[in-house]
PDB file of all heavy atoms in Angstrom:
ATOM      1  N   VAL B  41      -4.683  -2.713  -5.979  1.00  0.00           N
ATOM      2  CA  VAL B  41      -4.254  -2.998  -7.371  1.00  0.00           C
ATOM      3  C   VAL B  41      -3.965  -4.398  -7.537  1.00  0.00           C
ATOM      4  O   VAL B  41      -4.382  -5.106  -8.484  1.00  0.00           O
ATOM      5  CB  VAL B  41      -3.078  -2.140  -7.612  1.00  0.00           C
ATOM      6  CG1 VAL B  41      -2.586  -2.351  -9.092  1.00  0.00           C
ATOM      7  CG2 VAL B  41      -3.293  -0.728  -7.613  1.00  0.00           C
ATOM      8  N   VAL B  42      -3.152  -5.102  -6.627  1.00  0.00           N
ATOM      9  CA  VAL B  42      -2.766  -6.467  -6.653  1.00  0.00           C
ATOM     10  C   VAL B  42      -3.980  -7.388  -6.614  1.00  0.00           C
ATOM     11  O   VAL B  42      -4.174  -8.182  -7.429  1.00  0.00           O
ATOM     12  CB  VAL B  42      -1.780  -6.788  -5.616  1.00  0.00           C
ATOM     13  CG1 VAL B  42      -1.344  -8.297  -5.686  1.00  0.00           C
ATOM     14  CG2 VAL B  42      -0.548  -6.002  -5.717  1.00  0.00           C
ATOM     15  N   GLY B  43      -4.871  -6.930  -5.655  1.00  0.00           N
ATOM     16  CA  GLY B  43      -6.075  -7.722  -5.492  1.00  0.00           C
ATOM     17  C   GLY B  43      -7.015  -7.743  -6.609  1.00  0.00           C
ATOM     18  O   GLY B  43      -7.478  -8.871  -7.091  1.00  0.00           O
ATOM     19  N   GLY B  44      -7.111  -6.612  -7.369  1.00  0.00           N
ATOM     20  CA  GLY B  44      -7.930  -6.479  -8.592  1.00  0.00           C
ATOM     21  C   GLY B  44      -7.405  -7.339  -9.670  1.00  0.00           C
ATOM     22  O   GLY B  44      -8.087  -8.114 -10.236  1.00  0.00           O
ATOM     23  N   LEU B  45      -5.999  -7.334  -9.857  1.00  0.00           N
ATOM     24  CA  LEU B  45      -5.506  -8.008 -10.878  1.00  0.00           C
ATOM     25  C   LEU B  45      -5.567  -9.589 -10.518  1.00  0.00           C
ATOM     26  O   LEU B  45      -5.867 -10.442 -11.478  1.00  0.00           O
ATOM     27  CB  LEU B  45      -3.958  -7.736 -11.063  1.00  0.00           C
ATOM     28  CG  LEU B  45      -3.723  -6.341 -11.696  1.00  0.00           C
ATOM     29  CD1 LEU B  45      -2.220  -6.004 -11.633  1.00  0.00           C
ATOM     30  CD2 LEU B  45      -4.237  -6.351 -13.153  1.00  0.00           C
ATOM     31  N   LEU B  46      -5.295  -9.949  -9.371  1.00  0.00           N
ATOM     32  CA  LEU B  46      -5.450 -11.330  -9.035  1.00  0.00           C
ATOM     33  C   LEU B  46      -6.803 -12.041  -9.246  1.00  0.00           C
ATOM     34  O   LEU B  46      -7.065 -13.102  -9.696  1.00  0.00           O
ATOM     35  CB  LEU B  46      -4.939 -11.609  -7.579  1.00  0.00           C
ATOM     36  CG  LEU B  46      -3.488 -11.436  -7.192  1.00  0.00           C
ATOM     37  CD1 LEU B  46      -3.219 -11.719  -5.892  1.00  0.00           C
ATOM     38  CD2 LEU B  46      -2.687 -12.595  -8.074  1.00  0.00           C
ATOM     39  N   HIS B  47      -7.832 -11.200  -8.827  1.00  0.00           N
ATOM     40  CA  HIS B  47      -9.277 -11.604  -8.979  1.00  0.00           C
ATOM     41  C   HIS B  47      -9.716 -11.634 -10.370  1.00  0.00           C
ATOM     42  O   HIS B  47     -10.396 -12.546 -10.742  1.00  0.00           O
ATOM     43  CB  HIS B  47     -10.188 -10.589  -8.249  1.00  0.00           C
ATOM     44  CG  HIS B  47     -10.309 -10.931  -6.686  1.00  0.00           C
ATOM     45  ND1 HIS B  47      -9.452 -10.224  -5.726  1.00  0.00           N
ATOM     46  CD2 HIS B  47     -11.005 -11.652  -5.987  1.00  0.00           C
ATOM     47  CE1 HIS B  47      -9.767 -10.760  -4.585  1.00  0.00           C
ATOM     48  NE2 HIS B  47     -10.691 -11.601  -4.698  1.00  0.00           N
ATOM     49  N   LEU B  48      -9.156 -10.804 -11.248  1.00  0.00           N
ATOM     50  CA  LEU B  48      -9.439 -10.718 -12.693  1.00  0.00           C
ATOM     51  C   LEU B  48      -8.822 -12.033 -13.362  1.00  0.00           C
ATOM     52  O   LEU B  48      -9.452 -12.735 -14.143  1.00  0.00           O
ATOM     53  CB  LEU B  48      -8.888  -9.603 -13.330  1.00  0.00           C
ATOM     54  CG  LEU B  48      -9.161  -9.400 -14.883  1.00  0.00           C
ATOM     55  CD1 LEU B  48     -10.762  -9.331 -15.120  1.00  0.00           C
ATOM     56  CD2 LEU B  48      -8.699  -8.054 -15.344  1.00  0.00           C
ATOM     57  N   ALA B  49      -7.625 -12.414 -12.879  1.00  0.00           N
ATOM     58  CA  ALA B  49      -6.868 -13.458 -13.321  1.00  0.00           C
ATOM     59  C   ALA B  49      -7.575 -14.875 -12.863  1.00  0.00           C
ATOM     60  O   ALA B  49      -7.413 -15.949 -13.541  1.00  0.00           O
ATOM     61  CB  ALA B  49      -5.422 -13.484 -12.994  1.00  0.00           C
ATOM     62  N   ALA B  50      -8.285 -14.745 -11.728  1.00  0.00           N
ATOM     63  CA  ALA B  50      -8.764 -16.098 -11.177  1.00  0.00           C
ATOM     64  C   ALA B  50     -10.018 -16.476 -11.802  1.00  0.00           C
ATOM     65  O   ALA B  50     -10.681 -17.546 -11.501  1.00  0.00           O
ATOM     66  CB  ALA B  50      -8.834 -15.921  -9.647  1.00  0.00           C
TER      67      ALA B  50
END
Side-chain angles (χ1 to χ4, degrees):
Chain B
V41 178
V42 181
L45 288 171
L46 287 175
H47 279 89
L48 183 60

